[in-house]
Amino acid sequence: MLVLLIVHLVAALLAPLLVRRWGPRACLLLALAPAATAVWAAAHTGAVRDGGAVVETYQWIPELQFDVALRVTTLSWLMLLLVGGVGALVLVYSARYFEPGSVGLARFAAVMVAFAGAMLGLVVSDDLLLLYVFWELTTVFSYLLIGHSTERRSSRWAAAQALTVTTLGGLAMLVGFLMLGHHAGGYRWSSVASAPLPGGGYLALAVLLVLAGALAKSAVFPFNAWLPVAMAAPTPVSAYLHAAAMVKAGIFLIGLLGPALAAAGPWRPVTVVAGLVSLVLGGWAALRQTDLKLLLAYGTVSQLGLLAVLFGAGTPKAALAGVAMLAAHALFKAALFLVVGILDHEAGTRDLRDLSGVGRAAPWLAIVATLAAASMAGVPPLLGFVAKESVLAAFTGDPLVLAVLVAGSALTVAYSIRFVWGAFGTRPGVADTEVARPPAAMLVPPALLAVAGLAAGPAAGWLSGLFEPYAELFGPVEEHLALWHGPTAALGLSALVLAGGAALHLVRGPLAPALARLRSPVSGNQGYEWVTHGFDRLAIEVTGATQRGSLPQYLGTVLLALVSVPGGAMLATAPWRVELAVWDNPAQLVVAVVIAVAALLAVGARRRLTAMLLVGVTGYGTAMMFVLYGAPDVALTQFLVETATIAVFVLVLRRLPERFSARPLRRSRWVRRGIGIAAGVVMAGLALTAAGARRAPSISADFPQLALVEGYGRNVVNVTLVDIRAWDTMGEISVLVVTATGVASLIYERSRTGPRPRRPRPVAMRAGDRRTVWLRGGQTLPERRRSIVFEVVTRLIFHTVLIFSLFLLFSGHNAPGGGFAGGLVAGLALALRYLAGGRYELAEAAPVGAGTVLGAGLGISVGSGVLGLALTGDVLQSVKVGLWLPVIGDFYLVTSLFFDIGVYLVVVGLVLDILRSLGAEVDRHVEAAGEAGRGLIVQRDGPT
């Protein structure tokens, strides 16, 4: 099973390349991926025939007891056949449905195969959390498929609606999963189902949350509005997602959990009532449609409601009927959607009012459609008849439910006849529709599905043996699937359903005006729009009340929340009762006083630059605290970060007024100072609380030994970053890359990956003028902006600083330093070049794009993780490699050094991006605006 998932992943990644080379024909090759799923399922039929299971388990995150647990039983085996078989046929169909050069074809092919892989993962997952991951992947992929035609507003709206409804349902379902797994002590469903379930309201709430996700996914009332709107998707998408795959996910989940949860209080009432409402409302709406695709969409809502009733009833008869109907529905509905696609493709319309005589022009297509529609209506000897009869037989003991089922089934017959007659009949007064002969590649897939439904009817007895192991989970199976049970009540009801549906179709014409008035006062789409518009309006009102454009107000609100909530909870713990040593060294008291005085002076400063320097003093004071506490590595990092921060502040302050505004008034100043003091006290209290709340020995006590034995280094801080907690560092440098991209996108008006600015050619010097050029970019600055001393110092120390940064990088494993500190030093060297010579000097110093450096750093870090996986089997695991070089002799390298090199490059790229965006790009803006004195302005005529 894991191999099949990998096959789908590889196929999805290769799909764009294959489509670019072969066009739509690439879908034929991509169809092999879902076909492999169907073949695998068919090959394992014997393993599940008698109620067995195929199980695969792969350890993933042992600390969280989270494994890749895969399990195939009867229900998931059937879903694999449908997901794989129908998926392969739809991709074959797509090879002729799409024209060469179709917009978005490469994206469609990749996402379609990825969706098939996600559905595969969903139905074989035995872990509830893993199931949720695949569940949400199908949601995302369906969003991309439904919104395939990005240029159409209706397509984008439909995709957004489907995403919103199914995602909210999925989040509710996740909470239900967490509740069930927390009670059971694990999330393996096979274990949760065999353990005692919680009782009372806890179980009822968990069940309701899970059902909310399942019903939303399968478009069952009250979440049925999104499915008809999703018909904006291409027909192959509708045939797959809305007949055999995505909408079946919720039904599958109900069927999977039903044997364990059917006895829970709200399970049966919710599934049966919601299903019956969907059955009737969907069938009635289908009768009113003139678009063949919408007719099938509402019919799908109706059939999904029926399936929800069957799998939610919790009886062996209903479960067996549900499995049969699940298979029948996938076959006939996918075939009918594909038929509609052929009509739309060849006739240019799906409106049954414009179609006439198509049955004579395309007889084979009409035969295929008639077979599939007959199975949908429950006409013998097709599989739909066998399933429908078993449905009616399962509820003969419940007259109310049975009456609704008969009415809903009659509506199904009526809209099935309406589909065939409207699509292929000859309408009086309407000219015959010109229909080209459908290509074999488009006709064969629906034909195979329709013929499969025909062949499965007589084989119902054999199928019953395959399906019964699932029904036996609910109790002993007394009746089996069969094409003929004799003259039973269910047979009589089936005949009544067919007769009633035919009569309803016949009287529909004369009664059309009256039937048109029988509609809900509020449609599902209107309800969805009202809800979304209500939330939009609420968001506008809340934003207008809270987002006033005042950064002090925002920060004050955040700090007040900090003081009120965590601070209030902290008071209950009384952290001041902890015994404290005020200082270990008198120098610590001196530094603390300096920090406090600088902070107080910063609050009262009127000039921005003064406030920034005072805040810098607090940062350097903190670094001194680290030195006094014997943490040189942390102190070095703090010094460098504070210096880099001051440099960034300097770049920003050029575009701000020299002084703070006269506001706020004196009273508000004291309010802000009070908030600041309260926030400081709360943070100090939280730190004490956290330190005093420890009940177990700190794991950091083992870090020195771990750093030496497993990380092969003596610098505990650096080894922790690149080995022990390397995953944390990987996440942090990823955030740095995103931050750099965000900062640049706010500043740049043009591409940041274009060519670097070219230095203007200076004016030729006068004869005899032999002045030394210390920095080439410095010549572009006006004389009053230049400092020869600064240029000379920069020229002398720049390369030394870079070498020092490399020293910190390579020595950081055993001494203070590392990739982060080294990268900051290199970044400060670049800042020095920029401040001394302007933006052209920065381009001379770093003739490479910041994005390139960031990407290279992140790539090297990820590559080091892959290297550890290849050498040790664990991602980001350090390996000691012994080497020998002449003169140097024997030495060793640790693979985590490459991870540290990646960190180094990411930090350098971040600083370079900030210098180019807040520095060089701001200079370009200032120069373009002609604002003298606000930046390092270039002198176009060269030096004077």
PDB file of all heavy atoms in Angstrom, residues 869-899:
ATOM      1  N   LEU A 869      19.780  10.703   6.482  1.00  0.00           N
ATOM      2  CA  LEU A 869      18.850   9.600   6.239  1.00  0.00           C
ATOM      3  C   LEU A 869      19.519   8.490   5.445  1.00  0.00           C
ATOM      4  O   LEU A 869      19.337   7.298   5.729  1.00  0.00           O
ATOM      5  CB  LEU A 869      17.617  10.127   5.491  1.00  0.00           C
ATOM      6  CG  LEU A 869      16.561   9.101   5.106  1.00  0.00           C
ATOM      7  CD1 LEU A 869      15.924   8.488   6.339  1.00  0.00           C
ATOM      8  CD2 LEU A 869      15.483   9.752   4.225  1.00  0.00           C
ATOM      9  N   ALA A 870      20.340   8.870   4.450  1.00  0.00           N
ATOM     10  CA  ALA A 870      20.999   7.864   3.612  1.00  0.00           C
ATOM     11  C   ALA A 870      22.071   7.099   4.387  1.00  0.00           C
ATOM     12  O   ALA A 870      22.275   5.904   4.169  1.00  0.00           O
ATOM     13  CB  ALA A 870      21.613   8.539   2.383  1.00  0.00           C
ATOM     14  N   LEU A 871      22.750   7.783   5.314  1.00  0.00           N
ATOM     15  CA  LEU A 871      23.861   7.147   6.014  1.00  0.00           C
ATOM     16  C   LEU A 871      23.442   6.405   7.271  1.00  0.00           C
ATOM     17  O   LEU A 871      24.057   5.397   7.638  1.00  0.00           O
ATOM     18  CB  LEU A 871      24.914   8.202   6.376  1.00  0.00           C
ATOM     19  CG  LEU A 871      25.613   8.893   5.189  1.00  0.00           C
ATOM     20  CD1 LEU A 871      26.580   9.948   5.686  1.00  0.00           C
ATOM     21  CD2 LEU A 871      26.340   7.878   4.309  1.00  0.00           C
ATOM     22  N   THR A 872      22.400   6.907   7.962  1.00  0.00           N
ATOM     23  CA  THR A 872      22.019   6.316   9.254  1.00  0.00           C
ATOM     24  C   THR A 872      20.584   5.831   9.308  1.00  0.00           C
ATOM     25  O   THR A 872      20.212   5.132  10.243  1.00  0.00           O
ATOM     26  CB  THR A 872      22.221   7.339  10.386  1.00  0.00           C
ATOM     27  OG1 THR A 872      21.280   8.411  10.223  1.00  0.00           O
ATOM     28  CG2 THR A 872      23.634   7.904  10.356  1.00  0.00           C
ATOM     29  N   GLY A 873      19.766   6.238   8.345  1.00  0.00           N
ATOM     30  CA  GLY A 873      18.357   5.882   8.392  1.00  0.00           C
ATOM     31  C   GLY A 873      17.502   6.882   9.131  1.00  0.00           C
ATOM     32  O   GLY A 873      16.283   6.734   9.184  1.00  0.00           O
ATOM     33  N   ASP A 874      18.114   7.917   9.731  1.00  0.00           N
ATOM     34  CA  ASP A 874      17.380   8.963  10.447  1.00  0.00           C
ATOM     35  C   ASP A 874      17.674  10.306   9.814  1.00  0.00           C
ATOM     36  O   ASP A 874      18.843  10.640   9.540  1.00  0.00           O
ATOM     37  CB  ASP A 874      17.775   8.998  11.929  1.00  0.00           C
ATOM     38  CG  ASP A 874      17.314   7.758  12.669  1.00  0.00           C
ATOM     39  OD1 ASP A 874      16.261   7.216  12.300  1.00  0.00           O
ATOM     40  OD2 ASP A 874      18.020   7.332  13.602  1.00  0.00           O
ATOM     41  N   VAL A 875      16.626  11.103   9.612  1.00  0.00           N
ATOM     42  CA  VAL A 875      16.794  12.423   9.029  1.00  0.00           C
ATOM     43  C   VAL A 875      17.546  13.321  10.005  1.00  0.00           C
ATOM     44  O   VAL A 875      17.292  13.314  11.213  1.00  0.00           O
ATOM     45  CB  VAL A 875      15.421  13.039   8.675  1.00  0.00           C
ATOM     46  CG1 VAL A 875      15.583  14.431   8.090  1.00  0.00           C
ATOM     47  CG2 VAL A 875      14.681  12.139   7.707  1.00  0.00           C
ATOM     48  N   LEU A 876      18.529  14.097   9.472  1.00  0.00           N
ATOM     49  CA  LEU A 876      19.297  15.085  10.239  1.00  0.00           C
ATOM     50  C   LEU A 876      20.172  14.450  11.328  1.00  0.00           C
ATOM     51  O   LEU A 876      20.622  15.140  12.236  1.00  0.00           O
ATOM     52  CB  LEU A 876      18.375  16.141  10.869  1.00  0.00           C
ATOM     53  CG  LEU A 876      17.634  17.046   9.879  1.00  0.00           C
ATOM     54  CD1 LEU A 876      16.647  17.938  10.620  1.00  0.00           C
ATOM     55  CD2 LEU A 876      18.613  17.907   9.092  1.00  0.00           C
ATOM     56  N   GLN A 877      20.441  13.159  11.221  1.00  0.00           N
ATOM     57  CA  GLN A 877      21.326  12.495  12.182  1.00  0.00           C
ATOM     58  C   GLN A 877      22.782  12.774  11.797  1.00  0.00           C
ATOM     59  O   GLN A 877      23.170  12.622  10.649  1.00  0.00           O
ATOM     60  CB  GLN A 877      21.074  10.990  12.193  1.00  0.00           C
ATOM     61  CG  GLN A 877      22.005  10.198  13.083  1.00  0.00           C
ATOM     62  CD  GLN A 877      21.834  10.547  14.550  1.00  0.00           C
ATOM     63  OE1 GLN A 877      20.728  10.641  15.036  1.00  0.00           O
ATOM     64  NE2 GLN A 877      22.934  10.769  15.242  1.00  0.00           N
ATOM     65  N   SER A 878      23.599  13.194  12.769  1.00  0.00           N
ATOM     66  CA  SER A 878      24.996  13.509  12.493  1.00  0.00           C
ATOM     67  C   SER A 878      25.814  12.239  12.302  1.00  0.00           C
ATOM     68  O   SER A 878      25.591  11.222  12.974  1.00  0.00           O
ATOM     69  CB  SER A 878      25.593  14.346  13.631  1.00  0.00           C
ATOM     70  OG  SER A 878      24.969  15.607  13.705  1.00  0.00           O
ATOM     71  N   VAL A 879      26.797  12.323  11.397  1.00  0.00           N
ATOM     72  CA  VAL A 879      27.710  11.208  11.138  1.00  0.00           C
ATOM     73  C   VAL A 879      29.130  11.760  11.170  1.00  0.00           C
ATOM     74  O   VAL A 879      29.417  12.821  10.601  1.00  0.00           O
ATOM     75  CB  VAL A 879      27.431  10.554   9.768  1.00  0.00           C
ATOM     76  CG1 VAL A 879      28.430   9.435   9.499  1.00  0.00           C
ATOM     77  CG2 VAL A 879      26.015  10.026   9.711  1.00  0.00           C
ATOM     78  N   LYS A 880      30.003  11.062  11.825  1.00  0.00           N
ATOM     79  CA  LYS A 880      31.422  11.444  11.910  1.00  0.00           C
ATOM     80  C   LYS A 880      32.181  10.748  10.788  1.00  0.00           C
ATOM     81  O   LYS A 880      32.174   9.524  10.694  1.00  0.00           O
ATOM     82  CB  LYS A 880      31.980  11.059  13.280  1.00  0.00           C
ATOM     83  CG  LYS A 880      33.414  11.492  13.514  1.00  0.00           C
ATOM     84  CD  LYS A 880      33.842  11.115  14.929  1.00  0.00           C
ATOM     85  CE  LYS A 880      35.281  11.536  15.213  1.00  0.00           C
ATOM     86  NZ  LYS A 880      35.702  11.156  16.580  1.00  0.00           N
ATOM     87  N   VAL A 881      32.826  11.548   9.939  1.00  0.00           N
ATOM     88  CA  VAL A 881      33.536  11.015   8.775  1.00  0.00           C
ATOM     89  C   VAL A 881      35.022  11.300   8.949  1.00  0.00           C
ATOM     90  O   VAL A 881      35.442  12.469   9.023  1.00  0.00           O
ATOM     91  CB  VAL A 881      33.018  11.656   7.468  1.00  0.00           C
ATOM     92  CG1 VAL A 881      33.757  11.082   6.273  1.00  0.00           C
ATOM     93  CG2 VAL A 881      31.523  11.450   7.336  1.00  0.00           C
ATOM     94  N   GLY A 882      35.828  10.243   9.039  1.00  0.00           N
ATOM     95  CA  GLY A 882      37.271  10.408   9.170  1.00  0.00           C
ATOM     96  C   GLY A 882      37.924  10.679   7.826  1.00  0.00           C
ATOM     97  O   GLY A 882      37.626  10.021   6.823  1.00  0.00           O
ATOM     98  N   LEU A 883      38.848  11.651   7.782  1.00  0.00           N
ATOM     99  CA  LEU A 883      39.527  12.038   6.540  1.00  0.00           C
ATOM    100  C   LEU A 883      41.025  12.190   6.811  1.00  0.00           C
ATOM    101  O   LEU A 883      41.477  12.258   7.957  1.00  0.00           O
ATOM    102  CB  LEU A 883      38.940  13.349   6.004  1.00  0.00           C
ATOM    103  CG  LEU A 883      37.450  13.353   5.646  1.00  0.00           C
ATOM    104  CD1 LEU A 883      36.983  14.767   5.327  1.00  0.00           C
ATOM    105  CD2 LEU A 883      37.179  12.435   4.467  1.00  0.00           C
ATOM    106  N   TRP A 884      41.777  12.293   5.692  1.00  0.00           N
ATOM    107  CA  TRP A 884      43.230  12.518   5.793  1.00  0.00           C
ATOM    108  C   TRP A 884      43.664  13.415   4.671  1.00  0.00           C
ATOM    109  O   TRP A 884      43.217  13.249   3.513  1.00  0.00           O
ATOM    110  CB  TRP A 884      43.971  11.190   5.731  1.00  0.00           C
ATOM    111  CG  TRP A 884      45.471  11.373   5.815  1.00  0.00           C
ATOM    112  CD1 TRP A 884      46.216  11.407   6.948  1.00  0.00           C
ATOM    113  CD2 TRP A 884      46.366  11.569   4.710  1.00  0.00           C
ATOM    114  NE1 TRP A 884      47.535  11.612   6.657  1.00  0.00           N
ATOM    115  CE2 TRP A 884      47.669  11.720   5.271  1.00  0.00           C
ATOM    116  CE3 TRP A 884      46.210  11.630   3.344  1.00  0.00           C
ATOM    117  CZ2 TRP A 884      48.787  11.927   4.486  1.00  0.00           C
ATOM    118  CZ3 TRP A 884      47.321  11.846   2.549  1.00  0.00           C
ATOM    119  CH2 TRP A 884      48.619  11.986   3.116  1.00  0.00           C
ATOM    120  N   LEU A 885      44.500  14.384   4.965  1.00  0.00           N
ATOM    121  CA  LEU A 885      45.057  15.282   3.959  1.00  0.00           C
ATOM    122  C   LEU A 885      46.544  15.439   4.214  1.00  0.00           C
ATOM    123  O   LEU A 885      47.000  15.398   5.378  1.00  0.00           O
ATOM    124  CB  LEU A 885      44.381  16.658   4.009  1.00  0.00           C
ATOM    125  CG  LEU A 885      42.974  16.764   3.428  1.00  0.00           C
ATOM    126  CD1 LEU A 885      42.432  18.170   3.637  1.00  0.00           C
ATOM    127  CD2 LEU A 885      42.960  16.404   1.955  1.00  0.00           C
ATOM    128  N   PRO A 886      47.312  15.616   3.154  1.00  0.00           N
ATOM    129  CA  PRO A 886      48.748  15.863   3.350  1.00  0.00           C
ATOM    130  C   PRO A 886      48.964  17.090   4.217  1.00  0.00           C
ATOM    131  O   PRO A 886      48.196  18.046   4.178  1.00  0.00           O
ATOM    132  CB  PRO A 886      49.266  16.083   1.918  1.00  0.00           C
ATOM    133  CG  PRO A 886      48.258  15.426   1.040  1.00  0.00           C
ATOM    134  CD  PRO A 886      46.939  15.570   1.749  1.00  0.00           C
ATOM    135  N   VAL A 887      50.018  17.044   4.978  1.00  0.00           N
ATOM    136  CA  VAL A 887      50.404  18.115   5.898  1.00  0.00           C
ATOM    137  C   VAL A 887      49.482  18.141   7.119  1.00  0.00           C
ATOM    138  O   VAL A 887      49.924  18.119   8.259  1.00  0.00           O
ATOM    139  CB  VAL A 887      50.416  19.504   5.217  1.00  0.00           C
ATOM    140  CG1 VAL A 887      50.838  20.580   6.229  1.00  0.00           C
ATOM    141  CG2 VAL A 887      51.343  19.502   4.006  1.00  0.00           C
ATOM    142  N   ILE A 888      48.162  18.184   6.860  1.00  0.00           N
ATOM    143  CA  ILE A 888      47.217  18.248   7.975  1.00  0.00           C
ATOM    144  C   ILE A 888      47.172  16.927   8.719  1.00  0.00           C
ATOM    145  O   ILE A 888      47.124  16.869   9.948  1.00  0.00           O
ATOM    146  CB  ILE A 888      45.822  18.642   7.468  1.00  0.00           C
ATOM    147  CG1 ILE A 888      45.865  20.040   6.866  1.00  0.00           C
ATOM    148  CG2 ILE A 888      44.784  18.576   8.588  1.00  0.00           C
ATOM    149  CD1 ILE A 888      44.543  20.495   6.284  1.00  0.00           C
ATOM    150  N   GLY A 889      47.174  15.828   7.963  1.00  0.00           N
ATOM    151  CA  GLY A 889      47.105  14.519   8.573  1.00  0.00           C
ATOM    152  C   GLY A 889      45.670  14.058   8.773  1.00  0.00           C
ATOM    153  O   GLY A 889      44.765  14.420   8.000  1.00  0.00           O
ATOM    154  N   ASP A 890      45.431  13.271   9.828  1.00  0.00           N
ATOM    155  CA  ASP A 890      44.097  12.749  10.097  1.00  0.00           C
ATOM    156  C   ASP A 890      43.228  13.818  10.747  1.00  0.00           C
ATOM    157  O   ASP A 890      43.675  14.554  11.638  1.00  0.00           O
ATOM    158  CB  ASP A 890      44.177  11.532  11.029  1.00  0.00           C
ATOM    159  CG  ASP A 890      44.869  10.347  10.380  1.00  0.00           C
ATOM    160  OD1 ASP A 890      44.685  10.187   9.160  1.00  0.00           O
ATOM    161  OD2 ASP A 890      45.585   9.610  11.087  1.00  0.00           O
ATOM    162  N   PHE A 891      42.005  13.879  10.282  1.00  0.00           N
ATOM    163  CA  PHE A 891      41.021  14.764  10.900  1.00  0.00           C
ATOM    164  C   PHE A 891      39.644  14.199  10.570  1.00  0.00           C
ATOM    165  O   PHE A 891      39.523  13.198   9.853  1.00  0.00           O
ATOM    166  CB  PHE A 891      41.159  16.211  10.392  1.00  0.00           C
ATOM    167  CG  PHE A 891      40.796  16.389   8.948  1.00  0.00           C
ATOM    168  CD1 PHE A 891      39.559  16.901   8.581  1.00  0.00           C
ATOM    169  CD2 PHE A 891      41.688  16.037   7.942  1.00  0.00           C
ATOM    170  CE1 PHE A 891      39.215  17.065   7.250  1.00  0.00           C
ATOM    171  CE2 PHE A 891      41.356  16.202   6.606  1.00  0.00           C
ATOM    172  CZ  PHE A 891      40.115  16.715   6.265  1.00  0.00           C
ATOM    173  N   TYR A 892      38.618  14.818  11.109  1.00  0.00           N
ATOM    174  CA  TYR A 892      37.266  14.334  10.856  1.00  0.00           C
ATOM    175  C   TYR A 892      36.323  15.505  10.614  1.00  0.00           C
ATOM    176  O   TYR A 892      36.562  16.634  11.052  1.00  0.00           O
ATOM    177  CB  TYR A 892      36.755  13.459  12.005  1.00  0.00           C
ATOM    178  CG  TYR A 892      36.461  14.202  13.282  1.00  0.00           C
ATOM    179  CD1 TYR A 892      35.200  14.762  13.520  1.00  0.00           C
ATOM    180  CD2 TYR A 892      37.437  14.346  14.266  1.00  0.00           C
ATOM    181  CE1 TYR A 892      34.926  15.450  14.694  1.00  0.00           C
ATOM    182  CE2 TYR A 892      37.174  15.022  15.438  1.00  0.00           C
ATOM    183  CZ  TYR A 892      35.922  15.575  15.648  1.00  0.00           C
ATOM    184  OH  TYR A 892      35.647  16.254  16.801  1.00  0.00           O
ATOM    185  N   LEU A 893      35.260  15.195   9.893  1.00  0.00           N
ATOM    186  CA  LEU A 893      34.168  16.136   9.670  1.00  0.00           C
ATOM    187  C   LEU A 893      32.880  15.517  10.185  1.00  0.00           C
ATOM    188  O   LEU A 893      32.708  14.294  10.129  1.00  0.00           O
ATOM    189  CB  LEU A 893      34.011  16.467   8.183  1.00  0.00           C
ATOM    190  CG  LEU A 893      35.045  17.402   7.553  1.00  0.00           C
ATOM    191  CD1 LEU A 893      34.742  17.578   6.064  1.00  0.00           C
ATOM    192  CD2 LEU A 893      35.048  18.759   8.241  1.00  0.00           C
ATOM    193  N   VAL A 894      32.021  16.359  10.682  1.00  0.00           N
ATOM    194  CA  VAL A 894      30.694  15.921  11.119  1.00  0.00           C
ATOM    195  C   VAL A 894      29.680  16.441  10.104  1.00  0.00           C
ATOM    196  O   VAL A 894      29.746  17.618   9.697  1.00  0.00           O
ATOM    197  CB  VAL A 894      30.372  16.448  12.532  1.00  0.00           C
ATOM    198  CG1 VAL A 894      29.008  15.946  12.987  1.00  0.00           C
ATOM    199  CG2 VAL A 894      31.453  16.019  13.512  1.00  0.00           C
ATOM    200  N   THR A 895      28.780  15.586   9.675  1.00  0.00           N
ATOM    201  CA  THR A 895      27.841  15.981   8.606  1.00  0.00           C
ATOM    202  C   THR A 895      26.946  17.140   9.014  1.00  0.00           C
ATOM    203  O   THR A 895      26.416  17.849   8.165  1.00  0.00           O
ATOM    204  CB  THR A 895      26.967  14.784   8.206  1.00  0.00           C
ATOM    205  OG1 THR A 895      26.312  14.256   9.372  1.00  0.00           O
ATOM    206  CG2 THR A 895      27.803  13.686   7.564  1.00  0.00           C
ATOM    207  N   SER A 896      26.798  17.356  10.328  1.00  0.00           N
ATOM    208  CA  SER A 896      25.990  18.506  10.749  1.00  0.00           C
ATOM    209  C   SER A 896      26.642  19.827  10.356  1.00  0.00           C
ATOM    210  O   SER A 896      25.987  20.880  10.376  1.00  0.00           O
ATOM    211  CB  SER A 896      25.751  18.461  12.261  1.00  0.00           C
ATOM    212  OG  SER A 896      26.973  18.480  12.964  1.00  0.00           O
ATOM    213  N   LEU A 897      27.937  19.785   9.995  1.00  0.00           N
ATOM    214  CA  LEU A 897      28.590  21.001   9.510  1.00  0.00           C
ATOM    215  C   LEU A 897      27.882  21.529   8.265  1.00  0.00           C
ATOM    216  O   LEU A 897      27.744  22.748   8.086  1.00  0.00           O
ATOM    217  CB  LEU A 897      30.067  20.710   9.207  1.00  0.00           C
ATOM    218  CG  LEU A 897      30.838  21.842   8.511  1.00  0.00           C
ATOM    219  CD1 LEU A 897      30.927  23.062   9.411  1.00  0.00           C
ATOM    220  CD2 LEU A 897      32.237  21.362   8.111  1.00  0.00           C
ATOM    221  N   PHE A 898      27.426  20.619   7.407  1.00  0.00           N
ATOM    222  CA  PHE A 898      26.730  21.060   6.196  1.00  0.00           C
ATOM    223  C   PHE A 898      25.398  21.725   6.544  1.00  0.00           C
ATOM    224  O   PHE A 898      24.977  22.678   5.904  1.00  0.00           O
ATOM    225  CB  PHE A 898      26.512  19.868   5.261  1.00  0.00           C
ATOM    226  CG  PHE A 898      27.792  19.222   4.810  1.00  0.00           C
ATOM    227  CD1 PHE A 898      28.196  18.006   5.348  1.00  0.00           C
ATOM    228  CD2 PHE A 898      28.596  19.843   3.877  1.00  0.00           C
ATOM    229  CE1 PHE A 898      29.380  17.418   4.945  1.00  0.00           C
ATOM    230  CE2 PHE A 898      29.789  19.257   3.467  1.00  0.00           C
ATOM    231  CZ  PHE A 898      30.195  18.042   4.008  1.00  0.00           C
ATOM    232  N   PHE A 899      24.741  21.226   7.573  1.00  0.00           N
ATOM    233  CA  PHE A 899      23.521  21.881   8.036  1.00  0.00           C
ATOM    234  C   PHE A 899      23.848  23.287   8.532  1.00  0.00           C
ATOM    235  O   PHE A 899      23.122  24.254   8.254  1.00  0.00           O
ATOM    236  CB  PHE A 899      22.898  21.050   9.159  1.00  0.00           C
ATOM    237  CG  PHE A 899      21.575  21.583   9.656  1.00  0.00           C
ATOM    238  CD1 PHE A 899      20.398  21.238   9.027  1.00  0.00           C
ATOM    239  CD2 PHE A 899      21.518  22.436  10.748  1.00  0.00           C
ATOM    240  CE1 PHE A 899      19.176  21.728   9.479  1.00  0.00           C
ATOM    241  CE2 PHE A 899      20.316  22.927  11.213  1.00  0.00           C
ATOM    242  CZ  PHE A 899      19.141  22.571  10.569  1.00  0.00           C
TER     243      PHE A 899
END
